[in-house]
């Protein structure tokens, strides 16, 4: 059912696990700033210590081995390597830390997949405009080159940017993620645009300078819910669903995999809404310049983060946003047969992943796909015997198997989110996504495997060849 070289992995990200926020010369990131502000994060939690993986990496490695993972996905803290964001000042202690992580993984026969950017911009670059400024494109490219140069002899799988959608929308439209900006209808498109340009520039750098020798692969990780029309016989619902997918999955995947530009429905929806708002001047959705490195073709595989599904009803007004606030023209609704478990936004829909994979195959020209994140949290009363989450992983991985076998989707790997309970952004430590429980009241941050971790280990043993 799963090909012999299938990647069985789990993921984490730097700010969510490392701690050591000021250790050994690390510079501050926007999440340090944001989480230290009052009222931003549940319970005023922050990632100052988190799982303390900066000091306890070896404990993480034990967890990885206990699960029998073939792959481990981590992210690099930009500000730990380059405290002011630029290659003018390299923090050697940071280089040493990631060198050790990578070397230890390889010594244990675990393949690293490394994300360059998982929400934690150096504060110094935010002070110069951050992702809203066009300067970020070359700043990111320099950082990416530095990482390819330093770690690329051993790292062969790279993700440039994790979930540009989340950075753009949650960080710059809703303000619930760092840097906490609320500039509805405009900033998110600009940020998304610069993220695509930065990603593309780094991909071209890799392709021309590093790939010939290093022979690795580079992509960006996009998140998307699976969406389907509430009433499949209603044309408006069907069209609204298509727009919904264009505004999440398509926003970043269509330019990279299909045309080099945004989905047509996205541009027309934004432009017609702009007219209604009396907005004059250039489109709120920027255009790519022909003088810049092409966006089309800048991914060597498709990296998907999937968590949940929604039904779509056209013309609604009060539900969850499908797209950027002022361009909203539909509402998301839940199917009553989908249980909500764990964190409030997560309806548990394993079949949605299979459908989304098929959609990706058909829409983006049958790419190789890595599911770079998928998981299910627990909230409230701690359960080490988390039988619900065991069922979730079993059912979901079965659907991935079906996608491969029945639908012919070229899925190359599956990464559970997350290896460890960690700092769950605005939810702090209240929401637990780990395969291992972490005791945040213990100075040693003791890790204990959940039943779901054992279940995942069993699944891996069963299918690994
Ligand atoms: C991932 O994003 C992140 O990459 C990862 O760091 C994080 O730990 C993981 O999710 C778990 O949350 O509150 O109703 O507005 C997943 C994509 C998009 C899922 C936004 C949650 C919020 C819905 N996320 N969504 S709502």
């Amino acid at each position: 059912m799963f090909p012999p070289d299938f990647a069985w992995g789990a993921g984490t990200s730097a700010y969510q696990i490392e701690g050591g926020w000021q250790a050994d010369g690390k510079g501050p990131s926007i999440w340090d700033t944001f989480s230290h502000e009052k009222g931003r994060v549940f319970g005023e939690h922050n990632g100052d210590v988190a799982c303390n993986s900066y000091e306890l990496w070896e404990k993480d490695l034990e967890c990885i081995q206990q699960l029998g993972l073939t792959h481990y996905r981590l992210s690099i803290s930009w500000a730990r390597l380059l405290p002011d964001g630029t290659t003018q000042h390299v923090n050697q202690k940071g280089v040493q830390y990631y060198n050790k992580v990578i070397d230890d993984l390889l010594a244990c026969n675990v393949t690293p997949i490394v994300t360059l950017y998982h929400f934690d911009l150096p504060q110094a670059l935010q002070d110069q405009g951050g992702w809203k400024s066009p300067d970020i494109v070359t700043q990111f490219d320099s950082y990416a080159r530095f990482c390819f140069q330093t770690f690329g002899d051993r790292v062969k799988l790279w993700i440039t940017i994790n979930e540009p959608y989340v950075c753009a929308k949650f960080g710059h439209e809703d303000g619930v993620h760092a840097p906490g900006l609320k500039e509805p209808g405009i900033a998110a498109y600009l940020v998304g645009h610069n993220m695509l340009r930065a990603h593309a520039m780094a991909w071209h750098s890799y392709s021309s300078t590093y790939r010939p020798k290093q022979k690795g692969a580079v992509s960006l990780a996009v998140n998307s819910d699976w969406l389907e029309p509430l009433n499949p016989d209603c044309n408006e619902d069907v069209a609204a669903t298509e727009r919904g997918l264009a505004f999440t999955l398509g926003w970043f995947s269509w330019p990279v995999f299909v045309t080099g530009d945004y989905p047509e429905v996205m541009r027309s929806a934004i432009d017609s809404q702009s007219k209604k708002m009396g907005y004059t001047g250039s489109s709120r959705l920027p255009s790519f310049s022909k003088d810049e490195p092409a966006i089309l073709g800048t991914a060597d595989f498709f990296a998907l983060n999937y968590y949940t599904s929604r039904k779509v009803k056209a013309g609604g007004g009060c539900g969850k946003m499908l797209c950027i606030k002022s361009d909203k023209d539909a509402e998301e609704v839940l199917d009553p047969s989908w249980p909500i478990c764990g964190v409030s936004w997560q309806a548990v829909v394993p079949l949605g992943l299979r459908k989304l994979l098929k959609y990706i195959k058909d829409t983006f020209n049958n790419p190789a796909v890595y599911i770079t994140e998928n998981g299910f949290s627990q909230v409230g009363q701690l359960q080490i015997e988390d039988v619900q989450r065991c069922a979730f992983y079993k059912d979901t991985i079965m659907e991935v198997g079906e996608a491969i076998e029945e639908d012919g989707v070229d899925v190359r790997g599956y990464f559970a989110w997350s290896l460890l309970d960690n700092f769950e952004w605005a939810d702090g430590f209240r929401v637990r996504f780990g395969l291992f429980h972490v005791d945040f009241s213990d100075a040693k941050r003791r890790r204990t495997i959940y039943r779901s971790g054992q279940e995942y280990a069993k699944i891996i043993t069963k299918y690994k060849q």
Side-chain angles (χ1 to χ4, degrees):
M1 177 145 64
F2 294 94
D5 52 355
F6 193 80
W8 292 102
T12 57
S13 89
Y15 186 73
Q16 294 181 275
I17 66 163
E18 284 180 3
W21 78 286
Q22 289 183 307
D24 296 337
K26 176 185 168 293
S29 82
I30 56 173
W31 266 97
D32 292 314
T33 308
F34 187 76
S35 67
H36 291 155
E37 288 168 11
K38 274 221 154 46
R40 294 297 202 177
V41 176
F42 172 85
E44 312 287 324
H45 297 174
N46 60 59
D48 292 4
V49 182
C51 307
N52 199 13
S53 292
Y54 186 62
E55 290 180 357
L56 300 176
W57 153 246
E58 271 138 9
K59 296 285 170 209
D60 297 355
L61 184 59
E62 284 172 23
C63 297
I64 290 166
Q65 289 184 286
Q66 197 177 338
L67 295 176
L69 302 183
T70 65
H71 288 60
Y72 176 60
R73 175 174 180 235
L74 66 131
S75 87
I76 289 177
S77 158
W78 186 343
R80 190 180 298 289
L81 278 191
L82 312 176
D84 70 2
T86 77
T87 48
Q88 285 177 352
H89 306 280
V90 176
N91 175 25
Q92 285 307 329
K93 292 279 188 170
V95 175
Q96 276 167 29
Y97 175 69
Y98 295 111
N99 269 335
K100 179 162 170 49
V101 169
I102 292 163
D103 291 343
D104 286 355
L105 286 169
L106 292 172
C108 295
N109 216 3
V110 177
T111 306
I113 164 164
V114 175
T115 303
L116 296 177
Y117 186 76
H118 199 124
F119 305 172
D120 51 352
L121 193 73
Q123 183 61 43
L125 298 183
Q126 185 62 45
D127 296 342
Q128 297 163 46
W131 288 106
K132 282 170 61 181
S133 160
D135 298 340
I136 197 70
V137 177
T138 48
Q139 289 163 338
F140 181 77
D141 181 57
S142 304
Y143 163 58
R145 282 169 177 269
F146 178 82
C147 291
F148 299 148
Q149 176 79 44
T150 310
F151 307 114
D153 55 334
R154 290 151 294 152
V155 175
K156 305 301 169 188
L157 287 168
W158 294 99
I159 300 291
T160 53
I161 296 174
N162 182 67
E163 299 183 348
Y165 175 93
V166 170
C167 297
K169 182 169 185 292
F170 288 69
H172 300 79
E173 162 99 7
D174 306 336
V176 296
H177 276 199
L181 301 181
K182 286 189 190 160
E183 299 173 2
I186 295 176
Y189 296 133
L190 180 59
V191 164
H193 194 70
N194 286 334
M195 288 192 139
L196 274 167
R197 295 169 66 219
H199 157 78
M201 190 162 179
W203 183 90
H204 284 287
S205 293
Y206 188 80
S207 248
S208 54
T209 311
Y210 303 97
R211 191 200 304 282
K213 243 184 127 177
Q214 298 182 351
K215 298 184 168 34
V218 180
S219 187
L220 77 173
V222 296
N223 62 288
S224 188
D225 296 352
W226 169 244
L227 302 176
E228 46 190 77
L230 181 65
N231 176 0
D233 299 326
C234 163
N235 291 338
E236 285 77 19
D237 286 2
V238 172
T241 304
E242 265 167 37
R243 277 197 300 278
L245 284 167
F247 266 90
T248 47
L249 191 67
W251 184 355
F252 300 98
S253 306
W254 193 263
V256 168
F257 287 91
V258 188
T259 62
D261 203 348
Y262 298 108
E264 202 37 57
V265 284
M266 191 174 170
R267 187 168 293 282
S268 57
I270 292 167
D271 288 352
S272 79
Q273 185 62 24
S274 293
K275 244 190 224 143
K276 273 191 224 154
M277 289 157 59
Y279 184 91
T280 53
S282 51
S283 175
R284 289 176 293 129
L285 185 65
S287 296
F288 295 106
S289 149
K290 291 204 172 51
D291 307 328
E292 278 189 77
I295 307 291
L296 181 62
T298 58
D300 304 314
F301 57 91
F302 199 104
L304 172 71
N305 296 353
Y306 169 80
Y307 285 90
T308 191
S309 294
R310 292 286 187 274
K311 301 245 163 157
V312 176
K313 183 172 170 320
C318 55
K320 283 280 173 208
M321 279 173 287
L322 256 188
C323 50
I324 299 307
K325 208 165 288 171
S326 50
D327 302 312
K328 176 173 71 170
D329 64 351
E331 113 180 75
E332 291 185 0
V333 286
L334 287 158
D335 184 310
S337 71
W338 293 342
I340 294 270
C341 297
V343 73
S344 65
W345 49 264
Q346 194 169 17
V348 177
V349 195
L351 182 57
L353 176 54
R354 178 176 168 188
K355 292 180 180 173
L356 185 54
L357 287 168
K358 175 70 163 62
Y359 179 87
I360 287 168
K361 178 191 175 194
D362 295 342
T363 310
F364 302 110
N365 197 21
N366 194 19
V369 182
Y370 284 86
I371 299 156
T372 36
E373 283 181 30
N374 172 254
F376 174 31
S377 64
Q378 60 168 283
V379 189
Q381 180 59 48
L382 177 67
Q383 277 182 290
I384 294 289
E385 296 295 317
D386 53 344
V387 287
Q388 260 192 333
R389 295 168 81 211
C390 292
F392 167 87
Y393 278 111
K394 257 211 224 134
D395 294 350
T396 305
I397 290 166
M398 200 196 75
E399 295 297 348
V400 176
E402 296 287 309
I404 296 172
E405 202 146 286
E406 300 298 323
D407 306 333
V409 185
D410 185 8
V411 187
R412 303 283 177 94
Y414 174 87
F415 289 76
W417 185 270
S418 169
L419 180 68
L420 305 172
D421 285 345
N422 60 44
F423 178 80
E424 179 49 28
W425 307 116
D427 285 322
F429 298 103
R430 185 180 70 94
V431 171
R432 298 175 176 273
F433 268 94
L435 295 167
F436 282 78
H437 171 259
V438 176
D439 182 354
F440 294 105
S441 64
D442 169 21
K444 296 208 172 80
R445 297 297 193 271
R446 204 159 73 91
R447 286 96 161 112
T448 309
I449 195 163
Y450 285 112
R451 169 85 85 93
S452 57
Q454 279 162 342
E455 182 65 42
Y456 188 43
K458 258 200 253 160
I459 294 172
I460 295 175
T461 318
K462 180 167 161 205
Y463 292 117
K464 191 161 72 177
Q465 306 183 6

